[in-house]
Amino acid sequence: MQYQSIEEILPLVEKPGQYLGNEINSVKKNAERVKLRVALAFPDLYEIGMSHFGLQILYHILNQNEHIAAERVYAPGADAAVYLKAAKIPLSSLETNTPLSQLDIIGFSLLYELNYTNVLMMLDLADIPFYSSQRDACSPIIIAGGPCTVNPEPMAEFFDAMVIGDGETVIMELAQCFMKWKAGDGLDKNRLLTEWAKIEGVYIPSFFQPVYEGPDFHHIKPKYPEYTHVNRAIVADLDKTAFPNSPVIPYGRPVHDRLRIEVARGCTRGCRFCQAGMIYRPVRERSVENLLSIVKTSLAATGYEDISLLSLSTGDYSCLSSLMHQLISLYTAENIAISLPSVRAGTLTPELMKLIKQVRKTGFTIAPEAGSERLRNVINKNISEDEIFETIANAFELGWGLIKLYFMIGLPTETDNDVRAIIDLVRRVKKKIKTGGRRSNINVSVGTFIPKPHIPFQWAPQLSLKESQEKIFSLRRQLKMPGVNFKWQKPEVSLIEGLWARGDRRLSPLLEIAYHKGCCFDGWSDKFNFRLWEEALEEAGIDINYYTTRLRKLDEPLPWDHIHTGVSKKFLQAEYNNALSERSTPDCRQGDCLGCGVCDFEKIMPLSFNSGNKVKAVLSDTKTVQPETNENRVEISYAKRGTAKYFGHLELVNIFIRALRRAGLPVKFSQGFHPKPKISFHDPLPVGMESEKNLFCLTLKKAIDKQKMISSLNMQLPEGLLILGCRTVAAKSIPVLDKTALYMISISENEYSHQKLKEFNDAPEWIFHQITRKGRKKQVDLKEIVLNMKRLSSTKLKLHLNVIPGMRVRPGDVIASIFDFSDDVICRAEIVKKKLAE
């Protein structure tokens, strides 16, 4: 069958809900009423991209402008990509299903070097030329942003423009400039790029030309004398910056499925291996007052049950205790949890410890990075061994049962003794846990250090593949002990990441070759294929060791020297020398300015808040838990039609629970440390099946007007879900399974055979081999299951099934067995569960 649209392939792919584009809080505008259409592109799967906070920020800012329509697009899953490619269906935006080639601007988020092949995959599926030089004014303008752009050179030839730094203000300047250009002739692309080059933080790759001497990069030559370098865009006051307080609520199970609140940006701890700690300086915090307002608005708009406080170093947020205290006081009664990321060893104050006791606990992460104190001094990881063990002791006291330790191998000056120190430290942590008398586990994660641009170690060599493999597998062998789970990143993955991290424009052909060989989703261990990369490197004539394992001289020109993050090269060189001398550098928040170069102390400077006396004012609004004496159990009927058929059962439950929260309904929760809403569903429906009427039961804290409940809940549900009715039932009532089920099944590209129907009706038995959830084979006689089957037309069948506990058979399996239909026919069949006569 030749498919014509994405809708036609949805029944055939995994997680079809990710391609719908009608999530709660998504924005769909009339294309004829806007002046600019932007696709925010994330070169990874939906569940990863929907967890990216930066994309939500840009989506919010752009769509606030009535003249701009911002839509989203993610890398399609491998199965969907095959169908799109084969059918020549262009990759389109989610909100309006517009082919990307018809939009004005496509903006990629570059967060990870191993997503680079996905960029080409998305452009390929959109039928857009890879290289900027191949695209004229009729093609979309392709731009990029994100941390990887601080070395834009490996991807420079693919993009028309790249944003360096914070995008909140830059994105609107780019948009306003584009709309003005488009209102003119909109034909001279170079004129647009010339105007964009005047915006701080915007890099136009075509305005720079790299110069090489033999195999070595020599310098980059600017095309215009007034545009010789690019300064990173920095948002001076985070507290005054737009925040996405109505974020799009994803379908399915994204990596981070919670309300994410950025409490601060930047870190000045000065870890010499950490790129984020250098390129996001200075530290800028949001005030407690602003954060509480954001949380209140966001919870009402999303229905999330979990708040996560985000920052590079959340434990360093100056008002953390005050914020935690108020959030817990305000939202405990609403069964909303506060998730705190890993807290740096040494930052757990007694006050904070008391607050964390009230927070849900999964695993507690400590990142010593190095096993020995000597090497921690080299990398400026200023935590002592005493602080590590004290933090672990505090974690156990607070109730954590899983300790996660993260280490790196291949750090500058590392010796065999430093590697053995990792083993020694883990063993002593294990011993301390055992001494504490509590049953706990340790996860040890090890990765190869990858030198990145704009850090003190940007000149350092990366471990060779052989050395990395030897060290990791030695650690794995020696840490094989009860209670310790060892994880590691593949050394081959680290090597390719290191190649792109410090690469230059000579890598552009390599990326195209690797993509055409089949490299895609390289950040996923099950998709990464090192053999294909080796073939591509050989074909492109690239010496990987030149970019990775080679020690660079401190005065050597670097491909990213024209990108100014604010941290001076002189400061980075000084820090590199301090590392070799094993000298620590303090955090500038706790002392004098260290002269890194970021702050001008007029516009750009550290910005933090003192919680002061605002606590009492906010806490006066603290909600107290009232005794619940008037519980009300209700049975709610709903329809699941149209695109809602692509929701799986767990997905559907999540959608309803959050809709109940947004509707403000007084849902009753269970008791215990992980309270759950008292809700139970009748007859879960598989993905792809519609239903005219299904049921769930819900316990409310008190009785409410049923019509108001139906109306308010329907306002919070996505397209295809509709509340039909509501009635009061007994206190402990649960939905009871019907004894029979009636289905209407329509098929395409095939027909219901009279002969096969007769064969089934005449047969004394019809054995169907069913595979159970545990993978076992089970025989079911369909003659006991099928009560009646009526052929309404060549493509339409009415099927009435007997519902026997322990013998449930899906209607698709029934007709596949009887009519010998292929999986493809069954997947594309329209199956509607009909409402039984009452």
Side-chain angles (χ1 to χ4, degrees), residues 122-151:
M122 294 174 74
L123 291 175
D124 189 18
L125 290 175
D127 197 25
I128 295 173
F130 291 161
Y131 294 93
S132 173
S133 59
Q134 298 171 345
R135 300 189 295 264
D136 57 23
C138 296
S139 298
I141 303 296
I142 312 297
I143 67 175
C148 288
T149 63
V150 294
N151 177 19

PDB file of all heavy atoms in Angstrom, residues 122-151:
ATOM      1  N   MET A 122      16.651  14.450   9.699  1.00  0.00           N
ATOM      2  CA  MET A 122      15.439  15.266   9.678  1.00  0.00           C
ATOM      3  C   MET A 122      15.386  16.148   8.428  1.00  0.00           C
ATOM      4  O   MET A 122      14.337  16.305   7.810  1.00  0.00           O
ATOM      5  CB  MET A 122      15.349  16.100  10.953  1.00  0.00           C
ATOM      6  CG  MET A 122      15.161  15.238  12.211  1.00  0.00           C
ATOM      7  SD  MET A 122      15.210  16.182  13.746  1.00  0.00           S
ATOM      8  CE  MET A 122      13.616  17.002  13.701  1.00  0.00           C
ATOM      9  N   LEU A 123      16.524  16.719   8.049  1.00  0.00           N
ATOM     10  CA  LEU A 123      16.565  17.519   6.817  1.00  0.00           C
ATOM     11  C   LEU A 123      16.294  16.642   5.597  1.00  0.00           C
ATOM     12  O   LEU A 123      15.589  17.045   4.665  1.00  0.00           O
ATOM     13  CB  LEU A 123      17.929  18.204   6.685  1.00  0.00           C
ATOM     14  CG  LEU A 123      18.249  19.313   7.690  1.00  0.00           C
ATOM     15  CD1 LEU A 123      19.668  19.812   7.507  1.00  0.00           C
ATOM     16  CD2 LEU A 123      17.260  20.468   7.570  1.00  0.00           C
ATOM     17  N   ASP A 124      16.840  15.447   5.616  1.00  0.00           N
ATOM     18  CA  ASP A 124      16.640  14.507   4.512  1.00  0.00           C
ATOM     19  C   ASP A 124      15.163  14.154   4.374  1.00  0.00           C
ATOM     20  O   ASP A 124      14.597  14.185   3.264  1.00  0.00           O
ATOM     21  CB  ASP A 124      17.479  13.252   4.761  1.00  0.00           C
ATOM     22  CG  ASP A 124      17.511  12.320   3.555  1.00  0.00           C
ATOM     23  OD1 ASP A 124      17.185  12.771   2.444  1.00  0.00           O
ATOM     24  OD2 ASP A 124      17.868  11.142   3.732  1.00  0.00           O
ATOM     25  N   LEU A 125      14.511  13.829   5.493  1.00  0.00           N
ATOM     26  CA  LEU A 125      13.093  13.472   5.458  1.00  0.00           C
ATOM     27  C   LEU A 125      12.221  14.663   5.053  1.00  0.00           C
ATOM     28  O   LEU A 125      11.114  14.483   4.540  1.00  0.00           O
ATOM     29  CB  LEU A 125      12.649  12.937   6.825  1.00  0.00           C
ATOM     30  CG  LEU A 125      13.205  11.571   7.224  1.00  0.00           C
ATOM     31  CD1 LEU A 125      12.792  11.229   8.641  1.00  0.00           C
ATOM     32  CD2 LEU A 125      12.742  10.483   6.258  1.00  0.00           C
ATOM     33  N   ALA A 126      12.736  15.878   5.298  1.00  0.00           N
ATOM     34  CA  ALA A 126      11.991  17.080   4.922  1.00  0.00           C
ATOM     35  C   ALA A 126      12.296  17.512   3.488  1.00  0.00           C
ATOM     36  O   ALA A 126      11.729  18.498   3.004  1.00  0.00           O
ATOM     37  CB  ALA A 126      12.318  18.212   5.884  1.00  0.00           C
ATOM     38  N   ASP A 127      13.210  16.792   2.841  1.00  0.00           N
ATOM     39  CA  ASP A 127      13.630  17.119   1.474  1.00  0.00           C
ATOM     40  C   ASP A 127      14.218  18.527   1.399  1.00  0.00           C
ATOM     41  O   ASP A 127      13.927  19.298   0.476  1.00  0.00           O
ATOM     42  CB  ASP A 127      12.453  16.977   0.500  1.00  0.00           C
ATOM     43  CG  ASP A 127      12.925  16.901  -0.959  1.00  0.00           C
ATOM     44  OD1 ASP A 127      14.080  16.483  -1.186  1.00  0.00           O
ATOM     45  OD2 ASP A 127      12.146  17.285  -1.856  1.00  0.00           O
ATOM     46  N   ILE A 128      15.064  18.843   2.371  1.00  0.00           N
ATOM     47  CA  ILE A 128      15.747  20.125   2.432  1.00  0.00           C
ATOM     48  C   ILE A 128      17.244  19.855   2.261  1.00  0.00           C
ATOM     49  O   ILE A 128      17.797  18.982   2.941  1.00  0.00           O
ATOM     50  CB  ILE A 128      15.497  20.829   3.787  1.00  0.00           C
ATOM     51  CG1 ILE A 128      14.010  21.180   3.924  1.00  0.00           C
ATOM     52  CG2 ILE A 128      16.350  22.091   3.918  1.00  0.00           C
ATOM     53  CD1 ILE A 128      13.635  21.716   5.294  1.00  0.00           C
ATOM     54  N   PRO A 129      17.924  20.563   1.366  1.00  0.00           N
ATOM     55  CA  PRO A 129      19.361  20.344   1.173  1.00  0.00           C
ATOM     56  C   PRO A 129      20.142  20.496   2.475  1.00  0.00           C
ATOM     57  O   PRO A 129      19.821  21.343   3.313  1.00  0.00           O
ATOM     58  CB  PRO A 129      19.745  21.440   0.165  1.00  0.00           C
ATOM     59  CG  PRO A 129      18.479  21.745  -0.570  1.00  0.00           C
ATOM     60  CD  PRO A 129      17.384  21.578   0.431  1.00  0.00           C
ATOM     61  N   PHE A 130      21.179  19.667   2.644  1.00  0.00           N
ATOM     62  CA  PHE A 130      21.962  19.672   3.880  1.00  0.00           C
ATOM     63  C   PHE A 130      22.729  20.977   4.092  1.00  0.00           C
ATOM     64  O   PHE A 130      22.717  21.551   5.172  1.00  0.00           O
ATOM     65  CB  PHE A 130      22.966  18.518   3.885  1.00  0.00           C
ATOM     66  CG  PHE A 130      22.342  17.147   4.007  1.00  0.00           C
ATOM     67  CD1 PHE A 130      23.062  16.016   3.631  1.00  0.00           C
ATOM     68  CD2 PHE A 130      21.051  16.986   4.486  1.00  0.00           C
ATOM     69  CE1 PHE A 130      22.508  14.746   3.738  1.00  0.00           C
ATOM     70  CE2 PHE A 130      20.481  15.719   4.598  1.00  0.00           C
ATOM     71  CZ  PHE A 130      21.211  14.598   4.219  1.00  0.00           C
ATOM     72  N   TYR A 131      23.406  21.426   3.063  1.00  0.00           N
ATOM     73  CA  TYR A 131      24.367  22.524   3.223  1.00  0.00           C
ATOM     74  C   TYR A 131      23.715  23.882   2.989  1.00  0.00           C
ATOM     75  O   TYR A 131      22.876  24.045   2.084  1.00  0.00           O
ATOM     76  CB  TYR A 131      25.550  22.333   2.275  1.00  0.00           C
ATOM     77  CG  TYR A 131      26.390  21.128   2.609  1.00  0.00           C
ATOM     78  CD1 TYR A 131      26.132  19.904   1.996  1.00  0.00           C
ATOM     79  CD2 TYR A 131      27.419  21.208   3.536  1.00  0.00           C
ATOM     80  CE1 TYR A 131      26.893  18.774   2.301  1.00  0.00           C
ATOM     81  CE2 TYR A 131      28.185  20.097   3.844  1.00  0.00           C
ATOM     82  CZ  TYR A 131      27.922  18.880   3.240  1.00  0.00           C
ATOM     83  OH  TYR A 131      28.670  17.778   3.552  1.00  0.00           O
ATOM     84  N   SER A 132      24.129  24.856   3.783  1.00  0.00           N
ATOM     85  CA  SER A 132      23.617  26.216   3.656  1.00  0.00           C
ATOM     86  C   SER A 132      23.852  26.758   2.247  1.00  0.00           C
ATOM     87  O   SER A 132      22.990  27.446   1.677  1.00  0.00           O
ATOM     88  CB  SER A 132      24.293  27.127   4.684  1.00  0.00           C
ATOM     89  OG  SER A 132      23.938  28.468   4.485  1.00  0.00           O
ATOM     90  N   SER A 133      24.992  26.443   1.665  1.00  0.00           N
ATOM     91  CA  SER A 133      25.340  26.944   0.332  1.00  0.00           C
ATOM     92  C   SER A 133      24.417  26.404  -0.751  1.00  0.00           C
ATOM     93  O   SER A 133      24.343  26.961  -1.850  1.00  0.00           O
ATOM     94  CB  SER A 133      26.792  26.590  -0.005  1.00  0.00           C
ATOM     95  OG  SER A 133      26.975  25.171   0.024  1.00  0.00           O
ATOM     96  N   GLN A 134      23.715  25.306  -0.469  1.00  0.00           N
ATOM     97  CA  GLN A 134      22.816  24.696  -1.443  1.00  0.00           C
ATOM     98  C   GLN A 134      21.378  25.220  -1.333  1.00  0.00           C
ATOM     99  O   GLN A 134      20.525  24.874  -2.133  1.00  0.00           O
ATOM    100  CB  GLN A 134      22.798  23.173  -1.261  1.00  0.00           C
ATOM    101  CG  GLN A 134      24.136  22.509  -1.482  1.00  0.00           C
ATOM    102  CD  GLN A 134      24.126  21.037  -1.067  1.00  0.00           C
ATOM    103  OE1 GLN A 134      23.221  20.589  -0.361  1.00  0.00           O
ATOM    104  NE2 GLN A 134      25.130  20.293  -1.520  1.00  0.00           N
ATOM    105  N   ARG A 135      21.116  26.049  -0.321  1.00  0.00           N
ATOM    106  CA  ARG A 135      19.753  26.533  -0.080  1.00  0.00           C
ATOM    107  C   ARG A 135      19.650  28.014  -0.459  1.00  0.00           C
ATOM    108  O   ARG A 135      20.461  28.830  -0.022  1.00  0.00           O
ATOM    109  CB  ARG A 135      19.370  26.341   1.392  1.00  0.00           C
ATOM    110  CG  ARG A 135      19.400  24.894   1.873  1.00  0.00           C
ATOM    111  CD  ARG A 135      18.813  24.745   3.257  1.00  0.00           C
ATOM    112  NE  ARG A 135      19.590  25.437   4.277  1.00  0.00           N
ATOM    113  CZ  ARG A 135      20.522  24.872   5.053  1.00  0.00           C
ATOM    114  NH1 ARG A 135      20.790  23.580   4.923  1.00  0.00           N
ATOM    115  NH2 ARG A 135      21.169  25.579   5.962  1.00  0.00           N
ATOM    116  N   ASP A 136      18.620  28.355  -1.209  1.00  0.00           N
ATOM    117  CA  ASP A 136      18.407  29.755  -1.579  1.00  0.00           C
ATOM    118  C   ASP A 136      17.305  30.348  -0.704  1.00  0.00           C
ATOM    119  O   ASP A 136      16.859  29.726   0.267  1.00  0.00           O
ATOM    120  CB  ASP A 136      18.062  29.886  -3.065  1.00  0.00           C
ATOM    121  CG  ASP A 136      16.826  29.065  -3.456  1.00  0.00           C
ATOM    122  OD1 ASP A 136      16.002  28.758  -2.565  1.00  0.00           O
ATOM    123  OD2 ASP A 136      16.689  28.744  -4.646  1.00  0.00           O
ATOM    124  N   ALA A 137      16.829  31.526  -1.067  1.00  0.00           N
ATOM    125  CA  ALA A 137      15.829  32.225  -0.257  1.00  0.00           C
ATOM    126  C   ALA A 137      14.475  31.516  -0.261  1.00  0.00           C
ATOM    127  O   ALA A 137      13.613  31.820   0.565  1.00  0.00           O
ATOM    128  CB  ALA A 137      15.671  33.657  -0.752  1.00  0.00           C
ATOM    129  N   CYS A 138      14.280  30.577  -1.188  1.00  0.00           N
ATOM    130  CA  CYS A 138      13.019  29.826  -1.224  1.00  0.00           C
ATOM    131  C   CYS A 138      12.990  28.693  -0.202  1.00  0.00           C
ATOM    132  O   CYS A 138      11.925  28.155   0.102  1.00  0.00           O
ATOM    133  CB  CYS A 138      12.789  29.263  -2.622  1.00  0.00           C
ATOM    134  SG  CYS A 138      12.579  30.531  -3.887  1.00  0.00           S
ATOM    135  N   SER A 139      14.151  28.332   0.306  1.00  0.00           N
ATOM    136  CA  SER A 139      14.231  27.282   1.328  1.00  0.00           C
ATOM    137  C   SER A 139      14.089  27.917   2.704  1.00  0.00           C
ATOM    138  O   SER A 139      14.334  29.110   2.879  1.00  0.00           O
ATOM    139  CB  SER A 139      15.580  26.568   1.243  1.00  0.00           C
ATOM    140  OG  SER A 139      15.746  25.929   0.009  1.00  0.00           O
ATOM    141  N   PRO A 140      13.696  27.121   3.700  1.00  0.00           N
ATOM    142  CA  PRO A 140      13.664  27.661   5.063  1.00  0.00           C
ATOM    143  C   PRO A 140      15.071  28.064   5.502  1.00  0.00           C
ATOM    144  O   PRO A 140      16.064  27.493   5.048  1.00  0.00           O
ATOM    145  CB  PRO A 140      13.148  26.483   5.899  1.00  0.00           C
ATOM    146  CG  PRO A 140      12.541  25.532   4.936  1.00  0.00           C
ATOM    147  CD  PRO A 140      13.273  25.711   3.650  1.00  0.00           C
ATOM    148  N   ILE A 141      15.130  29.064   6.366  1.00  0.00           N
ATOM    149  CA  ILE A 141      16.401  29.429   6.988  1.00  0.00           C
ATOM    150  C   ILE A 141      16.637  28.429   8.123  1.00  0.00           C
ATOM    151  O   ILE A 141      15.768  28.217   8.975  1.00  0.00           O
ATOM    152  CB  ILE A 141      16.354  30.861   7.545  1.00  0.00           C
ATOM    153  CG1 ILE A 141      15.994  31.853   6.441  1.00  0.00           C
ATOM    154  CG2 ILE A 141      17.684  31.219   8.177  1.00  0.00           C
ATOM    155  CD1 ILE A 141      16.995  31.955   5.324  1.00  0.00           C
ATOM    156  N   ILE A 142      17.806  27.788   8.140  1.00  0.00           N
ATOM    157  CA  ILE A 142      18.105  26.757   9.143  1.00  0.00           C
ATOM    158  C   ILE A 142      19.069  27.343  10.166  1.00  0.00           C
ATOM    159  O   ILE A 142      20.175  27.778   9.820  1.00  0.00           O
ATOM    160  CB  ILE A 142      18.733  25.501   8.486  1.00  0.00           C
ATOM    161  CG1 ILE A 142      17.919  25.068   7.264  1.00  0.00           C
ATOM    162  CG2 ILE A 142      18.838  24.381   9.504  1.00  0.00           C
ATOM    163  CD1 ILE A 142      16.506  24.643   7.550  1.00  0.00           C
ATOM    164  N   ILE A 143      18.636  27.353  11.430  1.00  0.00           N
ATOM    165  CA  ILE A 143      19.467  27.906  12.501  1.00  0.00           C
ATOM    166  C   ILE A 143      19.625  26.870  13.606  1.00  0.00           C
ATOM    167  O   ILE A 143      18.955  25.830  13.606  1.00  0.00           O
ATOM    168  CB  ILE A 143      18.871  29.212  13.065  1.00  0.00           C
ATOM    169  CG1 ILE A 143      17.542  28.943  13.789  1.00  0.00           C
ATOM    170  CG2 ILE A 143      18.670  30.240  11.953  1.00  0.00           C
ATOM    171  CD1 ILE A 143      16.961  30.175  14.473  1.00  0.00           C
ATOM    172  N   ALA A 144      20.517  27.168  14.534  1.00  0.00           N
ATOM    173  CA  ALA A 144      20.758  26.236  15.643  1.00  0.00           C
ATOM    174  C   ALA A 144      21.109  27.017  16.900  1.00  0.00           C
ATOM    175  O   ALA A 144      21.591  28.151  16.845  1.00  0.00           O
ATOM    176  CB  ALA A 144      21.886  25.266  15.301  1.00  0.00           C
ATOM    177  N   GLY A 145      20.859  26.395  18.030  1.00  0.00           N
ATOM    178  CA  GLY A 145      21.248  26.939  19.319  1.00  0.00           C
ATOM    179  C   GLY A 145      21.526  25.786  20.264  1.00  0.00           C
ATOM    180  O   GLY A 145      21.389  24.623  19.909  1.00  0.00           O
ATOM    181  N   GLY A 146      21.942  26.108  21.492  1.00  0.00           N
ATOM    182  CA  GLY A 146      22.245  25.065  22.460  1.00  0.00           C
ATOM    183  C   GLY A 146      23.724  25.029  22.782  1.00  0.00           C
ATOM    184  O   GLY A 146      24.544  25.671  22.120  1.00  0.00           O
ATOM    185  N   PRO A 147      24.112  24.273  23.800  1.00  0.00           N
ATOM    186  CA  PRO A 147      25.501  24.282  24.275  1.00  0.00           C
ATOM    187  C   PRO A 147      26.524  23.846  23.244  1.00  0.00           C
ATOM    188  O   PRO A 147      27.674  24.279  23.295  1.00  0.00           O
ATOM    189  CB  PRO A 147      25.471  23.327  25.471  1.00  0.00           C
ATOM    190  CG  PRO A 147      24.239  22.499  25.305  1.00  0.00           C
ATOM    191  CD  PRO A 147      23.262  23.393  24.622  1.00  0.00           C
ATOM    192  N   CYS A 148      26.147  22.999  22.288  1.00  0.00           N
ATOM    193  CA  CYS A 148      27.122  22.531  21.293  1.00  0.00           C
ATOM    194  C   CYS A 148      27.591  23.649  20.369  1.00  0.00           C
ATOM    195  O   CYS A 148      28.643  23.530  19.728  1.00  0.00           O
ATOM    196  CB  CYS A 148      26.539  21.392  20.467  1.00  0.00           C
ATOM    197  SG  CYS A 148      26.373  19.835  21.365  1.00  0.00           S
ATOM    198  N   THR A 149      26.835  24.736  20.299  1.00  0.00           N
ATOM    199  CA  THR A 149      27.209  25.808  19.374  1.00  0.00           C
ATOM    200  C   THR A 149      28.403  26.622  19.870  1.00  0.00           C
ATOM    201  O   THR A 149      28.889  27.484  19.127  1.00  0.00           O
ATOM    202  CB  THR A 149      26.029  26.765  19.114  1.00  0.00           C
ATOM    203  OG1 THR A 149      25.648  27.404  20.341  1.00  0.00           O
ATOM    204  CG2 THR A 149      24.846  26.026  18.522  1.00  0.00           C
ATOM    205  N   VAL A 150      28.895  26.375  21.088  1.00  0.00           N
ATOM    206  CA  VAL A 150      30.097  27.097  21.515  1.00  0.00           C
ATOM    207  C   VAL A 150      31.314  26.626  20.719  1.00  0.00           C
ATOM    208  O   VAL A 150      32.342  27.301  20.703  1.00  0.00           O
ATOM    209  CB  VAL A 150      30.347  26.961  23.040  1.00  0.00           C
ATOM    210  CG1 VAL A 150      29.244  27.648  23.830  1.00  0.00           C
ATOM    211  CG2 VAL A 150      30.517  25.508  23.453  1.00  0.00           C
ATOM    212  N   ASN A 151      31.230  25.457  20.080  1.00  0.00           N
ATOM    213  CA  ASN A 151      32.139  25.117  18.979  1.00  0.00           C
ATOM    214  C   ASN A 151      31.256  24.818  17.779  1.00  0.00           C
ATOM    215  O   ASN A 151      30.881  23.669  17.519  1.00  0.00           O
ATOM    216  CB  ASN A 151      33.024  23.917  19.274  1.00  0.00           C
ATOM    217  CG  ASN A 151      33.901  23.565  18.065  1.00  0.00           C
ATOM    218  OD1 ASN A 151      34.099  24.388  17.168  1.00  0.00           O
ATOM    219  ND2 ASN A 151      34.396  22.345  18.017  1.00  0.00           N
TER     220      ASN A 151
END
